[in-house]
Amino acid sequence: MKRENIQTAKIKTYHFLPNKYGRELLLDIGRVEMLNHYVRDSTLHQLSFYEILFIEQGKGIFSLDEHKMSISPGTIIFTSPGQVRHWDIEEVVKGYTLFFEKEFLHLFFSDHLFLYRFQYFHQYSRPAEMQMPETDFARCLKLVHTIEQEFSSLQNDSSHLIRAVLYQLLVVLNRYYANTYHLQSDTSVPADFYRFRALLEKEFTVHHDVLSYTKMLNISPVNLRKLCKQYSGLSAQQMIHQKLISEIKKALFYNKSAKEITYEFGFSDPSNFNRFFKKLTGSTPQQYKDQL
């Protein structure tokens, strides 16, 4: 399923175990209540893979980066690799966790932008969770149960069946998510927007300005701004800044110094970094660290 790697800092990282079943399978499924040292880990931690949580019972707060969300029956939570997580459980949580490496789908669909086409992953401006009505939640669980049943008796072609069901589940969830938050369906979103989101994940430490991305994407700054505003609710510059701030806060969790962050994230000097952070968050990096 996963292994735990205790790092020298405050945040643990859980990694995927691809050969748990004796063959490489880059997806797994489990019951939340059975994974005491992972799902119900109350310390700060992060995952190196994607996860979807289906809450059937329980109550509490789940924190993802800076966002706190209430969990209750019918809650579905989407997490992307590298997001800092924390559980504060009031009543025992039960349900399913479905987790996978991006290569599980990328290799099949030959599309490196594939997971960016779903509204709920790598989200900047909208919630990473949604509450579903009982009948709709049950519909999604039927697909989860199909995957679970296939894991109970794996065959040579199981990865193909599981991948097909997962794809169906992702699309169904994307429709509900888009409807919940009044978004356009992913089929109407131009590919340049996905290309920008994918590029931002790779280049944010080096490039902080819109013009650099438009040159790499070979589109005009005006077009990129319009795309970002229409499909994320943020400007392209705001998306860049939000990604930077999210990753910088994680570095502060690791107790990195202003000098280290300045070098790692491409700022000209520590004072420039301090000004940037205070302008975006309202506090200095040291004040933020003091609050942790």
Side-chain angles (χ1 to χ4, degrees), residues 52 66 73 75 85 90 97 105 112 123 125 128 131 139 155 159 161 166 182 193 209 227 230 242 246 274 276 278 291:
I52 305 175
E66 294 290 290
T75 301
R85 306 143 54 96
E90 299 173 23
T97 171
L105 292 168
H112 71 283
Q123 187 53 252
S125 58
Q131 192 72 25
R139 179 189 176 193
Q155 302 179 43
S159 62
L161 188 146
L166 175 62
H182 310 292
F193 177 68
D209 61 293
L227 285 174
Q230 183 174 357
Q242 287 216 1
S246 176
N274 285 331
F276 171 81
K278 186 171 183 179
Q291 295 171 3

Side-chain angles (χ1 to χ4, degrees), residues 161-202:
L161 188 146
I162 293 170
R163 191 180 284 113
V165 177
L166 175 62
Y167 181 44
Q168 182 181 357
L169 178 61
L170 292 175
V171 171
V172 169
L173 289 170
N174 196 58
R175 289 180 178 178
Y176 282 120
Y177 185 91
N179 183 63
T180 299
Y181 296 108
H182 310 292
L183 307 174
Q184 297 187 40
S185 64
D186 77 302
T187 54
S188 65
V189 179
D192 283 339
F193 177 68
Y194 299 128
R195 292 173 59 216
F196 172 60
R197 290 183 66 188
L199 195 60
L200 179 56
E201 293 292 323
K202 298 177 182 178

Side-chain angles (χ1 to χ4, degrees), residues 206-220:
V206 180
H207 300 290
H208 302 172
D209 61 293
V210 173
L211 187 59
S212 295
Y213 289 94
T214 58
K215 288 179 178 178
M216 288 184 281
L217 294 168
N218 195 28
I219 62 175
S220 73

Side-chain angles (χ1 to χ4, degrees), residues 25 30 35 54 108 128 130 136 202-203 217 235 261 267 271:
L25 187 58
L35 300 171
F54 300 84
F108 183 75
M130 62 181 175
D136 297 331
K202 298 177 182 178
E203 302 288 339
L217 294 168
S235 68
I261 294 174
F267 291 96
S271 61

